[in-house]
Amino acid sequence: MAYKTREWRKSMRVTLDYNNMTDKFLGDKGFTARALSAYSARATQAWHYVNDNRGKDELFMGWTELPYNQKEIVADILQTAKTVRSKFQYFVVLGIGGSALGPIMAFNALCHLHYNDLPRSKRKGPKFYVEDNVDPVRMQALLDVIDPKKTCFNVISKSGATSETMAQYLVILDLLTKAGVDVKENVIFTTDAKKGNLKKISDEVGGIKSYILPDGVGGRFSQLSPVGLLPAAVCGIDIKGLLAGAAYMDYLCKNSNMRKNPALMSAVLQVASMENGKNIGVMMPYSDNLKYLADWYCQLWAESLGKNETLDGAPCNIGQTPVKSLGVTDQHSQVQLYTEGPYDKVVTFLSLKKYGCEMPIPHGCENIPDVAFLGGHTMEELIQAENAATAYALTKAGRLNYTLWIPELNAFTLGQLLFLFELQTAYAGAMFNINTFNQPGVEEGKKATFALLGKAGYAEKKKELDSLPEKSNTCIV
Ligand code: PA5
């Protein structure tokens, strides 16, 4: 059944405005129509690559089908979420990277910004925490504010071999065991179907409720799988709306012509910027709710495109450094650099046409013109004016920038944004002819950690680490 009416869906369409990337607005610092058209054939080829390989697990393209193939899983998740919401006072996600950034992002985007401080009657569900680090101080801080007996722990790890997540799990397991709690009552796993260690652990203790992260879905493309859907549902987020929004963006990107496909156009704008020396991509939402969408995007973009060889094995060292920035807050810290520093950046604004509330600014301080002019406006008008003013200032200074316009923030529009960025990343990777979906650079660090902590099977790696030259005191000041 379609999500809401066709008119409503149309009214919630996310759009891309790239006027401020063109020579019309930027003069010789902008792209001419001809310069952009030069990317057209490559973009269409990338679109075909992504489209032809949709859903292929062996290429890690399973994420393209998540908006369509999870009917039963969604029903199950909603049922579990209902139980968790009534039974527990705390819900804690243990995970890292792709297993954490999505849950953090959706929670921050669609829940009250002080959700955990609201009374239970307003939250209607447990307090929510995502622990994506092994800083002992942070772990202790969590344990200081939760009661493990009243907590549902969602351990999210595709491999079940990620040191950070598994160390956290061991801490929790010990606490639950000492408290006489049956781990099956308070723990839910989200993991790989067959290979992961969480599967083995679950079998050992006689079956822990487990959701499956499908084989063909990598961590950073997993927000629309149970990785993101269960935590979101526990927080009361409309997960059917998220998936419907993703499907709608998929529909908007059915065209292989970049001028009719927002994700493809966005990929082209980024690739063209990179190939013209803009090796920093700033993601700048003008919304506190979208602050962690920038975080999520940074992982998606950095881990997917930061590669040292093409699919044909040619060395390349591709990638663009994503930077997260928050409007208006960072106008008072980073925008000076964006406006007058090196011409090495392209800025993407995430701009809301309508905020969740207006917050009128009362009249006052009438004798002080610097302050009085604000009275009678709303904070929505102020933040929108500052967004427009920053885009103007960047454009005037000849800086590439474009805007994704969001009619309002809800599950449907968030789902559109997620799918747009996932498609954009896949298209850009295809344009560079790299493997968008692996992360050998991350794996190397994981293996070195195993070796340093004496994990069996990593003796050779330990030798490799030990063979590094002695650190020289002359380099320590
Ligand atoms: O995007 C990725 O693949 C990574 O960030 C992983 O999600 C992260 O390393 C955690 O891995 P796992 O889910 O196996 O614990």
Side-chain angles (χ1 to χ4, degrees):
M1 201 177 68
Y3 186 80
K4 304 211 177 178
T5 62
R6 191 164 177 266
E7 286 66 39
W8 184 88
R9 293 196 300 274
K10 247 173 117 177
S11 74
M12 288 295 145
R13 176 176 175 167
V14 171
T15 52
L16 168 67
D17 174 352
Y18 66 95
N19 273 291
N20 291 349
M21 299 288 284
T22 66
D23 58 338
K24 185 171 170 193
F25 285 85
L26 291 178
D28 64 0
K29 297 284 191 298
F31 292 106
T32 60
R34 180 187 269 209
L36 282 180
S37 294
Y39 284 90
S40 177
R42 205 168 140 205
T44 298
Q45 213 178 356
W47 181 90
H48 279 290
Y49 177 83
V50 172
N51 201 51
D52 293 352
N53 291 309
R54 285 185 70 104
K56 287 192 182 159
D57 283 352
E58 64 279 20
L59 293 177
F60 274 92
M61 291 280 292
W63 56 272
T64 60
E65 304 316 298
L66 293 174
Y68 312 106
N69 62 9
Q70 297 190 96
K71 203 164 168 238
E72 280 155 31
I73 296 164
V74 165
D76 190 303
I77 285 175
L78 288 173
Q79 194 52 47
T80 302
K82 198 172 163 200
T83 310
V84 170
R85 279 164 74 75
S86 64
K87 189 170 155 196
F88 291 100
Q89 288 196 17
Y90 310 94
F91 184 84
V92 175
V93 171
L94 305 180
I96 197 163
S99 296
L101 288 162
I104 296 170
M105 171 270 299
F107 169 68
N108 195 73
L110 298 176
C111 292
H112 191 285
L113 284 171
H114 292 290
Y115 180 86
N116 284 348
D117 299 329
L118 291 173
R120 170 97 197 184
S121 58
K122 288 205 170 147
R123 273 186 280 117
K124 299 193 179 76
K127 290 189 179 185
F128 182 77
Y129 302 92
V130 181
E131 293 304 296
D132 65 343
N133 203 350
V134 281
D135 181 335
V137 176
R138 176 156 160 199
M139 191 76 194
Q140 184 57 55
L142 174 77
L143 299 180
D144 288 343
V145 297
I146 64 165
D147 175 352
K149 293 201 283 291
K150 296 176 182 164
T151 305
C152 177
F153 295 96
N154 184 197
V155 186
I156 307 180
S157 178
K158 189 172 171 92
S159 60
T162 302
S163 305
E164 297 87 344
T165 308
M166 297 320 291
Q168 291 171 333
Y169 174 68
L170 290 173
V171 171
I172 294 308
L173 178 65
D174 184 54
L175 279 175
L176 291 176
T177 310
K178 283 180 178 151
V181 177
D182 179 356
V183 63
K184 293 202 288 295
E185 291 296 316
N186 288 46
V187 172
I188 299 174
F189 286 164
T190 305
T191 191
D192 187 88
K194 299 180 210 93
K195 296 182 289 223
N197 287 325
L198 294 186
K199 171 87 179 95
K200 284 184 211 149
I201 295 171
S202 168
D203 291 347
E204 259 174 29
V205 297
I208 288 178
K209 172 81 182 165
S210 299
Y211 286 100
I212 300 307
L213 175 50
D215 267 354
V217 180
R220 57 191 176 274
F221 286 82
S222 68
Q223 169 55 24
L224 296 169
S225 79
V227 168
L229 295 182
L230 176 64
V234 167
C235 296
I237 291 170
D238 170 15
I239 59 172
K240 288 185 180 169
L242 273 178
L243 294 169
Y248 186 62
M249 181 50 69
D250 194 23
Y251 157 75
L252 296 176
C253 297
K254 285 287 176 223
N255 205 310
S256 64
N257 177 346
M258 67 186 194
R259 296 190 195 274
K260 295 185 177 155
N261 176 331
L264 191 55
M265 192 67 213
S266 195
V268 166
L269 294 172
Q270 294 291 345
V271 170
S273 300
M274 288 161 76
E275 293 183 347
N276 283 276
K278 312 294 182 282
N279 219 27
I280 298 174
V282 177
M283 177 58 67
M284 191 163 189
Y286 268 74
S287 155
D288 269 83
N289 284 113
L290 293 178
K291 182 173 175 175
Y292 293 97
L293 179 67
D295 256 29
W296 173 85
Y297 169 82
C298 284
Q299 186 209 13
L300 182 71
W301 196 244
E303 221 170 68
S304 300
L305 299 189
K307 299 291 153 65
N308 66 7
E309 64 175 21
T310 67
L311 285 171
D312 309 318
C316 64
N317 298 110
I318 290 288
Q320 183 194 48
T321 305
V323 170
K324 52 198 173 186
S325 188
L326 178 66
V328 305
T329 309
D330 285 323
Q331 282 178 210
H332 298 265
S333 72
Q334 297 183 31
V335 167
Q336 168 64 29
L337 171 72
Y338 302 165
T339 312
E340 294 191 355
Y343 286 87
D344 57 359
K345 298 171 199 67
V346 51
V347 177
T348 307
F349 291 112
L350 300 181
S351 303
L352 288 177
K353 289 187 181 163
K354 190 164 172 277
Y355 286 73
C357 66
E358 286 188 333
M359 190 61 68
I361 305 172
H363 289 283
C365 304
E366 299 299 344
N367 296 329
I368 307 173
D370 280 353
V371 180
F373 80 97
L374 295 165
H377 289 290
T378 65
M379 285 207 177
E380 182 182 74
E381 283 174 351
L382 180 58
I383 193 169
Q384 285 174 332
E386 295 203 37
N387 187 167
T390 303
Y392 167 74
L394 287 178
T395 305
K396 191 173 168 194
R399 311 300 166 137
L400 296 177
N401 67 92
Y402 65 98
T403 298
L404 286 163
W405 281 107
I406 305 151
E408 69 178 41
L409 193 52
N410 55 41
F412 187 77
T413 52
L414 185 68
Q416 287 182 65
L417 287 169
L418 301 184
F419 215 72
L420 183 149
F421 288 132
E422 290 178 350
L423 281 174
Q424 171 191 317
T425 305
Y427 293 144
M431 287 179 77
F432 287 125
N433 188 34
I434 55 169
N435 185 338
T436 311
F437 304 103
N438 66 358
Q439 55 282 325
V442 177
E443 298 304 329
E444 184 59 29
K446 285 188 182 183
K447 286 179 203 152
T449 304
F450 295 153
L452 288 170
L453 292 184
K455 183 173 172 180
Y458 289 84
E460 276 307 307
K461 183 59 67 185
K462 180 77 173 60
K463 267 196 221 154
E464 189 183 309
L465 285 162
D466 289 343
S467 71
L468 288 172
E470 281 275 306
K471 287 215 164 167
S472 165
N473 277 336
T474 55
C475 295
I476 300 173
V477 287

